[in-house]
Amino acid sequence: MSGRPARPAVLLTAAEAVAAIGCDLRMYGAQLEEFCSLTEVLYGQAARPGRRGDVPGLELPPQPGAEEARFVAWNVAARWLGLAVRQRACEPEVLARLCALVFDQRAEALPGVPADAPCIRLETGMHDFACTRCGSCCLDLDYHSECTAEDVALWRRLGREDILAWVGEEPGPQGPRYLIWRRPGTPLYAERCPFLRRVPGDTAFVCTIHDVKPAICRSYPGLRKHALRTGCKGFPRG
Ligand code: SF4
């Protein structure tokens, strides 16, 4: 459930843009048109859908010095493309083109900024968004999310054991991962947000931890593509 007005654009560092692209590639499964367009930006020629035996995938044009086209199966294509973006997209102009393709919004490179400063301006496409409090984003948690170490630190500081009880903790490559929302004392995820309640006598829902909800909830939906892909109802019907 969205908690604040949507931003018309976001500024991203190169590392944030690469991470956001990788996240999009993994999140929505095989996106045929998008994957082929990305290979065109990365390699100068678009990949084609192909098949090796029973295995569907991407047929990549032969690289200079190689004779055969390369084949990447669908089930690993998202991860493979994410790595290719990480390795090849070092110029802000290239990253801006990739962002525009992946997020289906205007993106531009900002000239003359230091290497670790935001270098991409990406429009969000959220100008006509208004949360209807339909609760759809919190009622159907068929994806599994993580909250941040800052979220957990805040809840610990406030003594919010009621929230912490629903947070799982696992070791990760860069420190602990905090998994939400896990049924207290079990490794099982809740099907719906445990902190969502229906407004009495209304069809709308309310978040009962609104003031301290995790960053991932505060920033949802963020981008129009993410909103539409996850069934958000906050846009005018037309
Ligand atoms: S799905 Fe969209 S409109 Fe509905 S509560 Fe969530 S953010 Fe608001």
Side-chain angles (χ1 to χ4, degrees):
M1 196 167 295
S2 182
R4 57 185 175 188
R7 290 179 292 176
V10 288
L11 299 180
L12 302 172
T13 63
E16 287 167 345
V18 167
I21 291 170
C23 187
D24 177 284
L25 293 172
R26 291 190 302 276
M27 192 177 297
Y28 308 118
Q31 304 173 73
L32 178 59
E33 209 174 302
E34 177 181 310
F35 284 13
C36 292
S37 307
L38 282 181
T39 56
E40 184 162 19
V41 177
L42 291 169
Y43 297 102
Q45 288 184 67
R48 295 181 289 109
R51 184 171 279 281
R52 294 278 164 93
D54 289 341
V55 180
L58 280 180
E59 206 75 61
L60 297 155
Q63 295 301 293
E67 290 192 358
E68 281 199 30
R70 231 175 342 155
F71 178 78
V72 180
W74 269 139
N75 62 350
V76 292
R79 192 162 292 279
W80 181 87
L81 268 170
L83 279 174
V85 169
R86 195 173 291 277
Q87 287 164 358
R88 299 181 76 105
C90 38
E91 297 297 326
E93 289 74 18
V94 177
L95 264 178
R97 284 178 66 198
L98 293 172
C99 282
L101 274 172
V102 168
F103 301 113
D104 200 19
Q105 294 295 328
R106 271 177 61 91
E108 59 179 337
L110 305 174
V113 295
D116 55 351
C119 60
I120 309 285
R121 181 183 182 278
L122 172 66
E123 293 189 2
T124 61
M126 298 291 288
H127 51 280
D128 54 350
F129 169 78
C131 179
T132 62
R133 297 197 294 154
C134 68
S136 158
C137 51
C138 319
L139 282 169
D140 188 11
L141 302 182
D142 61 351
Y143 53 90
H144 299 147
S145 299
E146 293 181 27
C147 64
T148 65
E150 290 74 25
D151 293 326
V152 171
L154 174 69
W155 298 328
R156 284 182 180 151
R157 217 164 44 244
L158 297 174
R160 294 299 300 262
E161 297 301 326
D162 57 327
I163 304 177
L164 290 165
W166 290 84
V167 181
E169 184 174 336
E170 283 182 359
Q174 273 124 31
R177 297 170 60 216
Y178 299 105
L179 310 159
I180 56 173
W181 300 113
R182 278 193 165 179
R183 296 187 174 283
T186 80
L188 304 175
Y189 285 93
E191 292 85 31
R192 55 178 283 177
C193 175
F195 304 105
L196 187 72
R197 299 284 180 274
R198 191 184 277 280
V199 176
D202 199 339
T203 55
F205 285 84
V206 64
C207 173
T208 58
I209 59 167
H210 181 71
D211 292 343
V212 291
K213 64 187 175 185
I216 192 168
C217 303
R218 287 198 303 277
S219 62
Y220 180 83
L223 294 173
R224 191 179 197 92
K225 176 176 177 181
H226 185 51
L228 297 178
R229 291 272 176 153
T230 51
C232 173
K233 314 276 193 302
F235 298 96
R237 296 185 187 185

